[in-house]
């Protein structure tokens, strides 16, 4: 019996949806609501007054400073809200995307797969959502430039800086419409992830799953996720593809091992390495923290905690990006959130936490 192409598509997606629901991607979010290019221009609910008016606020800041992992991951099924949006871990984006798909198929039983995909893209990748991702992409790219450009000549030579920045500039944001942009990976329409890839022809691109778009809401979560994926373009193992690995990266990797972020036996590129994922987490924290430190001067302590929590809230599960490399190679949530993001000096400064002791955090340092 010949199956209708659209039925085959639905069958495949339903199967994938079941798989995703079981292994759970690392991005589960609520409906999109914010739309601004940066936190400062999103709809911010200002706090009613200073922290002293919110007795719980100072206590929450104190708890965050003492144990960022515990505060980020407590009440795992509760929706967490920050001034720009929320992170909803209850309903997976895949389920939402599959509901959209099922509705299209029910209403248009005579459509072929191309028509179904086109409609799916129209409903999920709306102009408003696409614009929001595009503005986050531009913001993250600019922040990556800033982080690299501010390193002086003792860290990167002119050639190394150029090599890094040219890779940053080569990364394209590859979004539908048209649906044919994902012709080689139609299941991405219902995926929860953002991912980076380098194609066989050397194209470097970021792709965004439709389920992610349906569930995204917090700007902080969006920029952390995008910054993490973007940073893979310049992680030590990806840079090796161009045979130009900046010397200062070696020092950085040694620091990753000293701080316990990277297992000493897994510090060289190749199967089983942890270097690239830790680098991407570390760089994403550098990017997001520059926002936490500067843009939200009007936030109360509680709102700052919530912004920090939502940045990495979806990393609480011991889960599993759908990108195979990440699945195998990233660190535990306690390390990613508690010892990396939660120890970032700017994240801590934004909340008035005491400094991370030198030696517990890593930064670019002069090459040797
Ligand atoms: Zn990654």
């Amino acid at each position: 019996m010949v199956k209708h192409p659209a039925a085959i598509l639905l069958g495949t997606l339903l199967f994938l949806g079941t798989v995703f629901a079981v292994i759970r991607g690392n991005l589960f979010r609520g409906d999109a609501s914010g739309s601004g290019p940066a936190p400062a221009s999103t709809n911010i609910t200002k706090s009613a007054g200073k922290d002293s008016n919110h007795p719980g606020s100072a206590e929450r800041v104190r708890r965050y400073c003492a144990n960022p992992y515990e505060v980020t991951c407590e009440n795992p099924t509760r929706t967490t809200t920050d001034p720009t949006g929320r992170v909803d871990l209850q309903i997976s984006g895949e389920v939402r995307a599959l509901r959209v798909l099922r509705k299209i198929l029910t209403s248009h039983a005579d459509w072929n797969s191309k028509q179904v995909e086109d409609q799916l893209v129209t409903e999920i990748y709306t102009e408003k959502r696409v614009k929001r991702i595009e503005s986050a992409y531009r913001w993250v790219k600019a922040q990556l430039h800033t982080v690299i450009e501010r390193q002086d000549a003792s860290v990167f030579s002119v050639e190394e800086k150029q090599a890094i920045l040219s890779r940053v500039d080569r990364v394209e944001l590859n979004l539908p419409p048209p649906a044919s942009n994902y012709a080689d990976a139609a299941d991405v329409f219902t995926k929860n992830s953002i991912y980076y890839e380098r194609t066989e022809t050397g194209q470097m691109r970021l792709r965004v799953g439709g389920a992610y778009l349906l569930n995204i809401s917090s700007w902080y979560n969006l920029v952390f996720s995008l910054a993490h994926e973007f940073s893979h373009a310049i992680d030590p193992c990806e840079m090796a593809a161009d045979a130009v690995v900046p010397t200062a990266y070696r020092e950085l990797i040694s620091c990753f091992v000293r701080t316990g972020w990277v297992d000493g036996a897994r510090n060289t590129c190749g199967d089983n390495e942890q270097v690239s994922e830790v680098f991407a987490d570390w760089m994403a924290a550098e990017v997001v923290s520059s926002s936490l430190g500067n843009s939200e001067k009007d936030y109360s302590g509680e709102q700052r905690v919530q912004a920090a929590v939502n940045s990495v809230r979806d990393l609480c599960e011991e889960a599993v990006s759908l990108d195979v490399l990440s699945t195998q190679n990233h660190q535990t949530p306690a390390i990613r959130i508690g010892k990396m993001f939660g120890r970032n000096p700017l994240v801590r400064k934004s909340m008035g936490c005491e400094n991370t002791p030198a030696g517990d955090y890593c930064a670019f340092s002069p090459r040797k």
Side-chain angles (χ1 to χ4, degrees):
M1 188 180 85
V2 179
K3 274 179 114 179
H4 189 283
I8 295 170
L9 177 69
L10 177 63
T12 308
L13 293 172
L14 284 175
F15 167 74
L16 289 170
T18 310
V19 173
F20 297 155
V22 173
I23 66 174
R24 288 178 68 89
N26 67 349
L27 301 162
F28 287 75
R29 300 184 171 98
D31 283 322
S33 61
S35 61
S41 62
T42 52
N43 237 350
I44 290 167
T45 313
K46 299 256 167 62
S47 70
K50 298 211 183 317
D51 289 352
S52 54
N53 297 336
H54 299 264
S57 188
E59 170 60 11
R60 195 122 192 286
V61 170
R62 192 196 60 73
R63 285 185 56 228
Y64 187 91
C65 294
N67 195 337
Y69 170 62
E70 188 181 284
V71 171
T72 301
C73 297
E74 62 195 353
N75 304 319
T77 58
R78 211 184 67 195
T79 302
T80 48
T81 308
D82 69 56
T84 66
R86 63 202 181 100
V87 175
D88 181 0
L89 303 177
Q90 293 180 60
I91 304 179
S92 88
E94 281 94 8
V95 171
R96 290 173 195 265
L98 288 168
R99 281 181 193 157
V100 175
L101 177 64
R102 193 173 299 152
K103 211 171 130 214
I104 296 168
L105 287 170
T106 313
S107 318
H108 306 282
D110 55 329
W111 279 7
N112 63 30
S113 347
K114 183 182 178 308
Q115 288 171 304
V116 170
E117 278 181 17
D118 286 345
Q119 186 60 28
L120 188 62
V121 163
T122 302
E123 292 191 25
I124 294 180
Y125 293 80
T126 61
E127 192 181 348
K128 185 180 170 188
R129 290 183 181 133
V130 166
K131 283 204 161 126
R132 190 157 189 262
I133 302 287
E134 285 171 346
S135 75
Y137 160 84
R138 285 192 298 272
W139 187 82
V140 168
K141 185 174 178 175
Q143 292 300 315
L144 282 170
H145 263 265
T146 303
V147 170
I148 299 302
E149 280 164 8
R150 73 171 175 233
Q151 309 303 325
D152 66 29
S154 68
V155 176
F156 295 130
S157 69
V158 174
E159 293 76 20
E160 287 172 337
K161 226 179 228 189
Q162 270 171 0
I164 297 170
L165 291 176
S166 78
R167 286 185 74 86
V168 168
D169 291 339
R170 272 171 59 197
V171 177
E172 297 166 19
L173 181 63
N174 179 231
L175 293 178
S180 57
N181 280 358
Y182 288 1
D184 59 322
D187 58 319
V188 175
F189 296 134
T190 53
K191 268 192 180 177
N192 239 336
S193 54
I194 293 182
Y195 67 93
Y196 160 82
E197 67 178 2
R198 178 165 43 85
T199 65
E200 281 177 6
T201 56
Q203 188 193 8
M204 295 155 72
R205 63 192 180 194
L206 295 170
R207 284 177 156 182
V208 180
Y212 180 98
L213 283 177
L214 290 178
N215 259 7
I216 194 167
S217 179
S218 163
W219 173 266
Y220 298 100
N221 200 297
L222 170 61
V223 292
F224 185 91
S225 306
L226 262 184
H228 174 104
E229 293 306 323
F230 217 132
S231 300
H232 276 310
I234 56 167
D235 77 38
C237 303
E238 264 295 282
M239 290 291 289
D242 276 354
V244 185
V245 183
T247 314
Y249 275 22
R250 268 188 240 147
E251 266 309 296
L252 191 63
I253 294 168
S254 304
C255 179
F256 290 169
V257 174
R258 279 198 306 277
T259 49
W261 299 350
V262 165
D263 183 326
R266 302 173 69 181
N267 66 345
T268 45
C269 299
D271 291 347
N272 209 32
E273 56 88 13
Q274 290 181 323
V275 171
S276 49
E277 287 305 329
V278 166
F279 179 91
D281 275 344
W282 172 79
M283 188 60 95
E286 294 290 299
V287 166
V288 173
S289 65
S290 66
S291 164
L292 283 171
N294 294 322
S295 303
E296 292 80 19
K297 299 201 171 13
D298 294 332
Y299 282 14
S300 69
E302 170 72 13
Q303 287 173 323
R304 284 168 199 272
V305 170
Q306 284 310 103
V309 163
N310 272 358
S311 301
V312 289
R313 169 82 169 164
D314 54 326
L315 307 184
C316 288
E317 294 177 57
E318 185 79 56
V320 272
S321 165
L322 296 170
D323 140 26
V324 175
L325 186 80
S326 314
T327 308
Q328 295 166 343
N329 301 17
H330 56 49
Q331 263 293 4
T332 62
I335 290 179
R336 299 180 83 187
I337 298 168
K339 297 195 169 170
M340 297 185 65
F341 188 83
R343 282 186 186 171
N344 178 286
L346 275 178
V347 170
R348 298 186 69 78
K349 192 176 164 202
S350 77
M351 274 175 278
C353 306
E354 62 188 50
N355 279 342
T356 305
D360 283 354
Y361 200 75
C362 298
F364 284 125
S365 56
R367 58 189 190 276
K368 289 177 181 160

